Amino acid sequence: MNHLPEPIHPASVVRLPDGTHVYADQLPAAYSGPQVVHQHIHQAPPDRTIQRIALGSGIGAGTVAAGVYFGPLLVAALTAIAANFAFLAFLALMLGWGVHTVVKSIGSPEGAQAAKNVARARRGRR
């Protein structure tokens, strides 16, 4: 490359198969054909387990894509459902405790006698 002046842009110099360097706009006619561009796209890899299972069983790439896409959505939906159930269980526990406390504090003598009878019946069965 010593015989060429310094290029304005480094991509404007092309190395020919015989090892010589020329400017891209001065290529011989034999080399002016289309150039092959190798483009590498980098991204985060999807979950490999689903791909191995799916491709190993002979199903198509659409199924693999659906598994990679809908897998996390399914986990998120199940987590939301579990959180709702946990909240409802906590709410039922608190309401039950509140009802128990109110009934216990304002209970009548008949209620107290009924509770004693139930306690006696339990002791008697054991």
Side-chain angles (χ1 to χ4, degrees), residues 33-44:
Q35 293 182 351
V36 178
V37 177
H38 296 281
Q39 184 176 8
H40 299 279
I41 300 172
H42 298 278
Q43 62 186 14

Side-chain angles (χ1 to χ4, degrees), residues 58-83:
I59 58 178
T63 306
V64 174
V68 170
Y69 181 76
F70 289 114
L73 287 178
L74 178 64
V75 170
L78 292 176
T79 303
I81 292 169

Side-chain angles (χ1 to χ4, degrees), residues 84-99:
N84 286 338
F85 281 151
F87 177 72
L88 289 175
F90 179 74
L91 188 64
L93 182 70
M94 290 297 107
L95 288 174
W97 176 77
V99 168

Side-chain angles (χ1 to χ4, degrees), residues 4-76:
L4 297 174
E6 202 58 40
I8 297 172
H9 188 272
S12 63
V13 176
V14 178
R15 183 175 183 200
L16 298 177
D18 62 359
T20 59
H21 295 85
V22 294
Y23 289 119
D25 58 352
Q26 297 174 352
L27 282 174
Y31 296 108
S32 62
Q35 293 182 351
V36 178
V37 177
H38 296 281
Q39 184 176 8
H40 299 279
I41 300 172
H42 298 278
Q43 62 186 14
D47 183 17
R48 300 284 185 205
T49 306
I50 300 297
Q51 285 183 345
R52 285 188 188 114
I53 293 170
L55 295 176
S57 63
I59 58 178
T63 306
V64 174
V68 170
Y69 181 76
F70 289 114
L73 287 178
L74 178 64
V75 170

Side-chain angles (χ1 to χ4, degrees), residues 99-122:
V99 168
H100 170 76
T101 304
V102 168
V103 168
K104 187 175 156 184
S105 66
I106 61 171
S108 64
E110 292 88 10
Q113 186 59 43
K116 286 181 187 177
N117 291 340
V118 169
R120 282 188 203 144
R122 283 188 186 164

